[in-house]
């Protein structure tokens, strides 16, 4: 089961992203890693329909970039496009979300 995430982008429009089970499996590689506390929190709360505040979204965006760099440095295969979409979503949620 995938996690569908939304944030308000303007008055009416919502921006959507999804974390698939396949991407969740990739994210589990950093579960409980002290360098990725926000991704660990997201994994732990995946099925709880978490509410993510803009400041946390910014931290998640930063951790996604760090995670991509780690995977690239280790020459490990990973779903690059889904991770990039996740980064774009969290960046947007951090900068354009309306209360």
């Amino acid at each position: 089961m995938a996690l569908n995430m939304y944030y308000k982008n303007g008055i009416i429009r919502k921006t959507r992203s999804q974390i698939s089970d396949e991407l969740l499996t990739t994210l589990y590689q950093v579960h409980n890693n002290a360098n990725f506390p926000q991704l660990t929190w997201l994994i732990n709360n995946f099925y709880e329909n978490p509410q993510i505040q803009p400041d946390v979204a910014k931290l998640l965006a930063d951790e996604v970039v760090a995670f991509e760099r780690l995977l690239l440095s280790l020459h490990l295969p990973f779903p690059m496009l889904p991770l990039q979409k996740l980064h774009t979503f969290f960046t947007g949620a951090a900068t354009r979300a309306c209360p």
Side-chain angles (χ1 to χ4, degrees), residues 24-45:
L24 183 62
T25 302
T26 300
L27 293 174
Y28 259 105
Q29 294 179 57
V30 292
H31 187 254
N32 288 332
N33 183 318
N35 294 321
F36 300 97
Q38 299 305 318
L39 286 172
T40 294
W41 173 84
L42 184 63
I43 292 164
N44 289 342
N45 294 284

Side-chain angles (χ1 to χ4, degrees), residues 1 10 15-16 20 26-27 41 45 50 53-54 59-60 66 71 87:
M1 180 171 96
T15 300
R16 176 182 178 269
S20 66
T26 300
L27 293 174
W41 173 84
N45 294 284
Q53 299 301 317
L59 295 171
L60 282 163
L71 292 171
H87 175 262

Side-chain angles (χ1 to χ4, degrees), residues 6-15 92 95-98:
Y6 301 90
Y7 71 86
K8 291 181 183 177
N9 186 7
I11 295 174
I12 297 172
R13 202 172 108 224
K14 287 186 177 181
T15 300
T95 59
R96 293 188 293 269
C98 301

Side-chain angles (χ1 to χ4, degrees), residues 52-65:
I52 300 171
Q53 299 301 317
D55 57 332
V56 175
K58 169 70 172 107
L59 295 171
L60 282 163
D62 294 344
E63 286 186 18
V64 168
V65 170

Side-chain angles (χ1 to χ4, degrees), residues 69-90:
R69 288 182 181 150
L70 174 64
L71 292 171
L72 286 169
S73 72
L74 298 173
H75 304 287
L76 297 173
F78 67 97
M80 184 178 289
L81 186 58
L83 275 176
Q84 289 173 347
K85 287 181 179 181
L86 193 61
H87 175 262
T88 300
F89 174 81
F90 287 136

